[in-house]
Amino acid sequence: MTTEMAKIPAPKDQVIPSIPTVEYCLYARKSSEDDERQAMSIDSQIKEMNELALRDSLFIKEIRRESHSAKMSGQRPVFAKLLEDIRSELFTGILTWAPDRLSRNAGDLGMLVDLMDQGKLHQIKTFSQNFANNPNEKFLLMILCSQAKLENDQKGINVKRGIRAKCEMGWRPGMPPIGYYNRAMAGVKDIVVDPERGYIITEMFERVAKNGDSGRTIKRWFDEVGMTTRSGKGVVLSQIYMMLKNSFYYGDFEYPIKSGNWYRGKHEPLTTKETFVKVQEQLVTCQKSPWGEKVITFKALFKCGTCGSNIIGEEKWRKRKEKEPRKHIYYHCARQLNMCTEPYISEEKLIKQILRYINFMNIAHPNSLKLTSKLKNSIASYLSIREEILYEQDINPNSVPLDPVNYARYIFANGTIQEKRDLVAALDRELYIKNRFISATSQENN
């Protein structure tokens, strides 16, 4: 009996599905903040991760670098663009040095895990670990990034505690004001008087307290004696006023500023508290208007006849020996184009010039005032008062023509700021001030 062997057909070639290649974006980040100064630089991160990719045959599609802190969520533009590109499937993996390069906050970490849950982020690979889309590795990723956040929070608390301790010891953190400098000797940091500037600061307080010197007077004196900042630049007027209001010079300081936490410093004072109080009394000469509420009557209504810039107004308070300070308003060129030499003009003289110009226009061009609706209301009020005065003098108001100069004089004496501005605007032409005179032409047209 013969046995026939069944012929087994040869296996056909089977198509083995290829494993999709992970397209990595190499993300390197460096923050300049204190808590990350020991991290590898961006170039070092890229070098190490390139070598790892070459060793493990990883495909790096693009390299992106960023210098930004990862403490706050949504603050890194390069990282935000990376997440957007992963959502659009431009990348399917991230290659980075360590998990804390990607996130040190819960918000960014949550977006990374969410992309993994959606199946769009297949893998995060670091120098020593892999994080794929499975529960255990995602959990480990969250632990490591949360640990980085914990370190940040703890360091923030420790830094604040160290600052409070330093303040309680009498040493103000940060750069001291002009007249002092920080010194580090044998591991001990303190604040000492600047021998080149300290005595000038002392004399500055004495001059203001005893002689009543203004800030501009002190500025001129600083320029004469060659007073400069630590960087060698001249001391500007705003800095002088800040120095005169700085309690650090008599020994007390507030830290942080406007926190209400005051400390007694161990540094050598450059003035006494009594002198400092007298200086503050000299500085407060008038009640300041809240920001944005100060209105200068004729501001921006005139042009400089010399250079064409706007004419602006400025309040000045003149001290008097026995009475309250008197307010004066001066108008001058804004010097927007160059250092113009056009002199200032007081508001009283400017009003006289406006009246002179209205009188000239009334003679040369009668009825030249454009009666806007607001101006008509003020004219009606003026006519009512005018009629009463003329009737008391047995004069028929209709027999006396309206004098624009008298009307303008009434508005400047009794009208509101807006009525005064409307009156100037009713002249319906651009006006220039040249050598304290008003004209309708500038120097360029002369």
Side-chain angles (χ1 to χ4, degrees), residues 182-305:
N182 288 327
R183 180 181 65 175
M185 183 180 297
V188 178
K189 296 181 179 180
D190 58 1
I191 300 173
V192 296
V193 175
D194 186 341
E196 297 181 359
R197 300 174 179 84
Y199 71 94
I200 299 179
I201 301 298
T202 300
E203 187 173 348
M204 174 189 71
F205 279 96
E206 295 293 333
R207 282 173 174 257
V208 176
K210 295 181 179 179
N211 304 332
D213 286 4
S214 65
R216 295 186 184 275
T217 303
I218 296 297
K219 175 69 171 67
R220 288 192 292 268
W221 173 61
F222 273 7
D223 293 340
E224 292 173 1
V225 300
M227 176 65 169
T228 64
T229 63
R230 284 181 289 264
S231 60
K233 297 181 180 179
V235 182
V236 299
L237 187 61
S238 59
Q239 286 178 302
I240 292 174
Y241 282 113
M242 290 176 63
M243 292 160 62
L244 291 172
K245 296 176 182 179
N246 195 341
S247 62
F248 188 87
Y249 289 110
Y250 77 81
D252 290 351
F253 64 90
E254 182 184 21
Y255 195 88
I257 297 176
K258 296 183 179 180
S259 65
N261 299 323
W262 286 89
Y263 304 92
R264 182 63 184 174
K266 284 190 176 181
H267 59 278
E268 180 184 345
L270 291 178
T271 188
T272 63
K273 186 172 183 178
E274 292 75 14
T275 302
F276 182 82
V277 171
K278 290 181 181 179
V279 169
Q280 306 315 301
E281 294 173 355
Q282 293 288 341
L283 293 178
V284 180
T285 58
C286 62
Q287 183 70 29
K288 292 187 176 181
S289 301
W291 179 264
E293 291 188 8
K294 183 185 293 184
V295 179
I296 305 298
T297 305
F298 302 111
K299 179 182 178 181
L301 291 179
F302 299 90
K303 295 283 188 179
C304 175

Side-chain angles (χ1 to χ4, degrees), residues 114-184:
D114 186 56
L115 287 172
M116 282 185 160
D117 292 339
Q118 296 175 26
K120 294 184 176 181
L121 180 57
H122 298 167
Q123 193 170 43
I124 296 176
K125 187 173 182 61
T126 68
F127 186 78
S128 58
Q129 292 169 305
N130 294 327
F131 303 97
N133 186 15
N134 62 71
N136 292 334
E137 294 184 7
K138 285 190 292 186
F139 181 64
L140 179 59
L141 175 66
M142 288 188 289
I143 289 177
L144 293 176
C145 290
S146 300
Q147 183 179 3
K149 174 174 171 53
L150 177 62
E151 292 174 356
N152 279 335
D153 295 344
Q154 288 178 335
K155 287 179 180 178
I157 294 174
N158 292 336
V159 168
K160 291 179 181 179
R161 183 187 62 199
I163 289 175
R164 286 196 302 270
K166 186 174 182 179
C167 290
E168 291 169 358
M169 292 172 60
W171 303 114
R172 185 187 183 279
M175 187 68 69
I178 300 174
Y180 294 93
Y181 65 85
N182 288 327
R183 180 181 65 175

